């Protein structure tokens, strides 16, 4: 594959945050009278934006969440990040070894993504190259976010490689005309997750971040090789 850009999802790929986010939402929802287990949130809404998740919850429960719900949930996430958030093991080595540009394309809000990257020391790897579902009309599994990220980075979609941990994310990458690699090394991934990502269109699935190194290194070499090599 010729690769000019590697696009990383954030939660569950760069930082091991999915369980923390799900627990924060479950606790906040319960305080608002919506009893939904964290495991159910993970199973149903992993990879989707908060906007889409909350709209589905309101629709299914037939009532609206409080106007300050998002603020309360963000505060709960911030508390969890401050005490328990960790980077995905091996991610620093992967990022340090890449010669092509990288960016983040996440269903999380820009503030939440930046908070997570800062808490784990990964902010310098991405600077302002952070793109969120809040910046486009339709979140994953629509291709909008990945196409927007590629356009902002000046890369053609067919020369982008996406690292994703969710079915909506893999489907979004495929719909954008990009090659997708599934990642199942987050603590939220259950048995059968790799098979679901493959069924969604992942070209390969990695169980550990270090498993990505040969795949990404090959992409680097191909992109950097002079014509005729």
């Amino acid at each position: 594959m010729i690769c000019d850009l590697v696009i990383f999802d954030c939660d569950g790929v760069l930082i091991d945050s999915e369980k923390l986010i799900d627990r924060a939402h479950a606790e906040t929802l319960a305080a608002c009278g919506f009893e939904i287990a964290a495991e159910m949130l993970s199973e149903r809404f992993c990879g989707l934006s908060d906007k889409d998740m909350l709209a589905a919850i309101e629709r299914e429960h037939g009532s609206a969440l409080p106007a300050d719900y998002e603020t309360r949930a963000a505060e709960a996430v911030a508390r969890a990040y401050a005490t328990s958030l960790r980077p995905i093991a091996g991610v620093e080595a992967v990022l340090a070894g890449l010669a092509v540009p990288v960016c983040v394309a996440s269903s999380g809000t820009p503030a939440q993504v930046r908070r997570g990257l800062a808490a784990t020391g990964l902010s310098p790897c991405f600077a302002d190259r952070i793109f969120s579902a809040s910046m486009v009309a339709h979140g994953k599994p629509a291709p909008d976010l990945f196409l927007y990220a590629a356009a902002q980075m000046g890369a053609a979609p067919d020369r982008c490689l996406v690292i994703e941990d969710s079915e909506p994310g893999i489907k979004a990458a495929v719909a954008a005309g990009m090659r997708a690699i599934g990642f199942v090394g987050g603590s939220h991934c259950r048995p059968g997750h790799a098979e679901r990502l493959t069924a969604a269109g992942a070209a390969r699935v990695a169980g550990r971040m270090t498993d990505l190194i040969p795949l990404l290194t090959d992409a680097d070499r191909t992109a950097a090789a002079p014509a005729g090599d």
Side-chain angles (χ1 to χ4, degrees):
M1 176 195 177
I2 298 174
C3 176
D4 289 343
L5 174 68
V6 179
I7 304 176
F8 289 88
D9 180 38
C10 183
D11 299 306
V13 173
L14 297 172
I15 59 177
D16 202 5
S17 53
E18 288 286 5
K19 280 189 172 182
L20 301 180
I21 294 170
D22 291 335
R23 282 199 293 265
H25 274 292
E27 291 167 4
T28 309
L29 286 166
C32 299
F34 293 70
E35 296 290 343
I36 307 175
E39 293 76 12
M40 180 61 70
L41 293 175
S42 177
E43 183 176 332
R44 287 202 54 200
F45 301 113
C46 181
L48 299 181
S49 67
D50 285 356
K51 175 184 175 182
D52 290 340
M53 176 184 75
L54 299 178
I57 290 172
E58 288 181 325
R59 184 170 58 251
E60 292 170 11
H61 283 73
S63 58
L65 288 160
D68 66 344
Y69 176 85
E70 291 187 28
T71 298
R72 292 164 65 177
E75 291 172 349
V77 170
R79 289 193 295 271
Y81 277 13
T83 59
S84 305
L85 184 63
R86 300 289 183 272
I88 292 290
V91 70
E92 297 96 335
V94 168
L95 292 171
L98 282 172
V100 297
V102 298
C103 70
V104 176
S106 171
S107 293
T109 64
Q112 182 172 299
V113 173
R114 291 192 181 96
R115 183 180 295 115
L117 295 178
T120 52
L122 297 178
S123 294
C125 300
F126 296 98
D128 60 349
R129 301 184 302 276
I130 295 171
F131 307 103
S132 163
S134 63
M135 300 174 179
V136 296
H138 304 288
K140 304 169 188 178
D144 302 31
L145 176 55
F146 288 133
L147 292 173
Y148 178 76
Q152 294 300 304
M153 295 292 294
D158 63 355
R159 294 170 69 97
C160 294
L161 183 64
V162 175
I163 314 300
E164 262 286 354
D165 71 311
S166 72
E167 293 173 76
I170 294 292
K171 290 177 180 178
V174 172
M178 301 177 183
R179 186 169 185 247
I181 294 179
F183 180 70
V184 295
S187 61
H188 66 292
C189 294
R190 303 176 184 177
H193 199 80
E195 288 77 10
R196 289 190 289 273
L197 296 187
T198 299
R204 299 283 293 275
V205 176
R208 298 172 299 178
M209 189 55 62
T210 51
D211 294 340
L212 293 173
I213 292 176
L215 301 177
L216 297 176
T217 301
D218 285 346
D220 271 358
R221 289 199 196 99
T222 306
D229 281 13

